[in-house]
Amino acid sequence: MIRVVLVDDQAVVRAGFRVLLEDVGDLEIVGEAASGPEAVAVVRRTHPDVVCMDVRMPGGDGLTATRQIVADRDRDGATLPAVLVVTTFDLDEYVFGALEAGAEGFVLKDCDPEDLADAIRRLARGDGMLDQSVTRRVIAEFARRRPAPTPGAEADLLTPRETDIVRLLAQGLSNAEIADALFVEPSTVKSHLGRAMTKLGTRDRLQTVVWAYRTGLATPT
């Protein structure tokens, strides 16, 4: 079972998500929160795999909460919980702020229930949301608004193979799809990608793609 925490200031929204997600079968709602500070406390208590985070909440925004959850996770050397932003705005400064804070994916509140469940599963597996249209649009617009003129010195540290893998990752390909494209094993892709992320100083796949867009290694399609 994938453990999920729901964060939204509207109780009716949380109740709706709970009904939809628990009906799926492999997802378990282990906690709810109505504000950012409450979300941090609930996550620390329940240790979920994924946090579905609203970003606009009058009792304390989701940006600060996301930043704290990611900081706690990084301090513990863990890969989970992942933060999935569930929002009504896909090209919004709050959403860009969540990306900077460490969110791994984005879905719109009016998405199909199965799309939400699939997004949660992908983040729990560590696959990221890079093939999801909202997330890719957010990344592209974020990169356009905050461009970096040229790749930094860290780009020169990447091997040609690592560069190819990061470029394909930015196109939304999974490790298995990258492996097929390069005629290598998925484990080889994972190893090269891990080394590339260490060189770039990026914490996850999504942050690596943001780097690729901002430096021009990848371009919006």
Side-chain angles (χ1 to χ4, degrees), residues 12-192:
V12 66
V13 173
R14 299 196 308 274
F17 283 156
R18 176 182 283 274
V19 170
L20 292 173
L21 294 177
E22 290 193 332
D23 191 51
V24 171
D26 62 337
L27 307 179
E28 177 186 8
I29 308 303
V30 297
E32 297 183 18
S35 69
E38 185 181 352
V40 174
V42 171
V43 167
R44 288 173 174 170
R45 185 176 69 250
T46 60
H47 305 289
D49 299 306
V50 177
V51 182
C52 293
M53 179 74 73
D54 187 17
V55 291
R56 294 187 174 189
M57 294 177 287
D61 69 73
L63 303 185
T64 302
T66 296
R67 195 172 292 110
Q68 185 60 63
I69 290 167
V70 171
D72 286 350
R73 183 190 69 197
D74 291 348
R75 186 191 62 235
D76 295 338
T79 58
L80 295 175
V83 178
L84 174 67
V85 171
V86 186
T87 179
T88 54
F89 305 95
D90 61 338
L91 294 178
D92 174 90
E93 287 301 324
Y94 277 85
V95 176
F96 296 146
L99 177 60
E100 290 181 308
E104 280 87 8
F106 305 84
V107 294
L108 297 180
K109 285 187 177 180
D110 61 356
C111 70
D112 292 336
E114 185 52 43
D115 288 340
L116 176 59
D118 181 62
I120 292 171
R121 293 188 190 104
R122 289 181 63 86
L123 292 193
R125 291 196 306 264
D127 289 344
M129 290 287 294
L130 303 180
D131 66 345
Q132 206 272 349
S133 62
V134 174
T135 300
R136 295 185 71 187
R137 192 158 63 246
V138 168
I139 293 171
E141 180 64 13
F142 179 86
R144 187 186 71 81
R145 295 190 185 189
R146 296 165 171 80
T150 57
E154 66 272 14
D156 296 332
L157 300 176
L158 298 183
T159 66
R161 178 62 82 191
E162 290 165 354
T163 300
D164 290 340
I165 288 173
V166 171
R167 186 178 288 115
L168 291 172
L169 179 71
Q171 294 177 17
L173 275 63
S174 66
N175 283 4
E177 291 168 335
I178 295 172
D180 287 342
L182 298 178
F183 303 102
V184 297
E185 293 296 322
S187 59
T188 301
V189 173
K190 183 177 180 180
S191 177
H192 281 298

Side-chain angles (χ1 to χ4, degrees), residues 154-155 157-158 166 195-202 207-208 211-212:
E154 66 272 14
L157 300 176
L158 298 183
V166 171
R195 286 196 291 269
M197 289 168 59
T198 298
K199 292 175 182 179
L200 299 175
T202 54
Q207 202 175 67
T208 304
W211 175 88

